[in-house]
Amino acid sequence: MIGMLAAMMLAAAAQVPPGQAESAPPQDAPVRLEDVTVTGRSLERMIGDFVAEVAEPNRGRRLARWDRSICVGVANLRAESAQYIIDRVSTVAEDIGLNPGGPGCTPNLLVVATADGEAAARALVGERRRAFRMGGAGMDRGVAALTDFQETDRPVRWWQVAMPIDSESGMRATRLPGDCQAYECNAFDGSVMGYAPVISISSASRLNTQIVDNIFRTVVIVDIDDVSALTVQQLADYIAMVSLAQIDPDADTSRYATILNVFDGPESAPGLTGWDTAYLTGLYGAERTDQSPAAGRAEIEASIGRAHARARAQTEE
């Protein structure tokens, strides 16, 4: 069975068709973004703390996101539940500017339901390890994170692969193992040009870069017994949050009202919250052209602040 699921994810052999307030809130009172009435540095600090807690880019890289399209596939769930998750994740994706795939699309986001998440994770990695760690610099979170993905007991676990991309040409900007055989590279007299992609720089700058990081594959494993207390919307929204952004599975978000707390108390979030939607909107609204990763994250924080301002203006109308 696991071999079949690996084939679905990696070879796309099958899929289910698509369809105000203190600056440091008390631990027992998570703050909702739409309720924040503080201004200036206090709100900025809260946003910065939230981003710093939940964001987990790949090693040495800036935060990645999906580029244009996404195709959701679900395996091992009843048709109506699978279709709801596909439709809901696709709707959230569309709301932040992505193009969800239609029926028959090749899944690049696969959700696998199972009675034993750890065993499923081990089997998938064992059978298709190269798909989880492709060998390119900065494409994943590393060996320790992959071990955590397989061995840590979680209701939902996820693994994402991202790629540095030349935003001007759309071509990948990192070398993969096997890109250049020895006899081919000899044609370049041993030059690194024979091993690495050639990037044409359209405008040289110490502040900006045309290299961006794009997520291109995600697998989410759901331990079905551990999510029984959730509604299908809560599960779908949790999956949307952790698959559309690079989220730290060990993030402490207890100070915020977010879907990421749903396993600590299902009543905490019936679905995506203001913090969640603002984070996703901010991530996908950021320009991503800053050379410095810190500057790039600051742009995302500013974008979240703008999303908050828009949401607040709507509630006051």
Side-chain angles (χ1 to χ4, degrees):
M1 174 61 71
I2 294 299
M4 292 177 62
L5 296 179
M8 288 175 61
M9 176 180 68
L10 306 171
Q15 88 172 95
V16 178
Q20 202 170 93
E22 298 296 328
S23 60
Q27 291 289 333
D28 58 350
V31 63
R32 297 188 305 170
L33 184 62
E34 51 268 46
D35 288 345
V36 176
T37 58
V38 291
T39 57
R41 291 299 303 172
S42 295
L43 177 57
E44 292 174 6
R45 189 182 308 115
M46 291 179 69
I47 293 173
D49 289 347
F50 182 73
V51 173
E53 188 64 51
V54 305
E56 187 175 49
N58 292 342
R59 296 179 303 173
R61 304 303 308 172
R62 289 174 289 274
L63 284 171
R65 70 190 190 200
W66 295 91
D67 184 21
R68 297 181 180 87
S69 61
I70 191 169
C71 175
V72 186
V74 177
N76 289 355
L77 282 180
R78 292 179 179 176
E80 58 271 25
S81 297
Q83 191 64 59
Y84 182 90
I85 291 173
I86 290 169
D87 291 343
R88 177 58 182 164
V89 175
S90 296
T91 295
V92 175
E94 188 171 26
D95 288 344
I96 57 177
L98 296 172
N99 299 316
C105 65
T106 300
N108 50 15
L109 194 173
L110 180 66
V111 181
V112 179
T114 177
D116 190 337
E118 182 177 331
R122 285 181 180 275
L124 282 171
V125 174
E127 294 171 8
R128 301 285 181 135
R129 187 178 183 87
R130 181 68 181 272
F132 287 84
R133 299 215 68 211
M134 296 182 64
M139 292 182 63
D140 59 68
R141 295 188 290 118
V143 174
L146 187 59
T147 299
D148 178 84
F149 168 75
Q150 297 173 82
E151 298 181 357
T152 301
D153 184 19
R154 290 190 174 93
V156 178
R157 66 191 73 205
W158 57 93
W159 186 261
Q160 293 166 317
V161 184
M163 181 81 73
I165 296 292
D166 179 359
S167 60
E168 297 292 331
S169 67
M171 304 296 290
R172 61 182 169 91
T174 189
R175 175 184 176 270
L176 295 179
D179 269 358
C180 179
Q181 301 297 327
Y183 69 88
E184 295 174 324
C185 295
N186 287 338
F188 293 90
D189 298 322
S191 168
V192 71
M193 298 294 287
Y195 294 87
V198 177
I199 307 298
S200 299
I201 304 300
S202 58
S203 58
S205 171
R206 294 183 179 181
L207 300 179
N208 298 318
T209 177
Q210 67 190 54
I211 307 302
V212 297
D213 293 270
N214 292 338
I215 301 170
F216 72 91
R217 182 190 300 136
T218 297
V219 58
V220 180
I221 299 178
V222 179
D223 198 313
I224 204 67
D225 293 333
D226 292 341
V227 301
S228 58
L230 305 189
T231 66
V232 66
Q233 179 180 344
Q234 287 175 312
L235 177 58
D237 282 8
Y238 187 92
I239 292 170
M241 186 68 179
V242 303
S243 60
L244 296 176
Q246 293 176 304
I247 301 296
D248 184 350
D250 296 317
D252 177 7
T253 55
S254 57
R255 292 186 299 155
Y256 307 90
T258 166
I259 192 65
L260 299 175
N261 296 329
V262 73
F263 292 109
D264 296 321
E267 72 286 350
S268 65
L272 291 173
T273 70
W275 282 107
D276 301 325
T277 56
Y279 183 88
L280 292 175
T281 302
L283 174 64
Y284 283 83
E287 290 294 333
R288 301 198 297 168
T289 56
D290 291 289
Q291 185 73 256
S292 164
R297 185 169 299 198
E299 166 60 22
I300 293 172
E301 293 171 9
S303 188
I304 292 173
R306 293 191 293 270
H308 163 70
R310 289 192 298 268
R312 187 163 186 81
Q314 291 173 358
T315 60
E316 291 176 349
E317 289 178 354

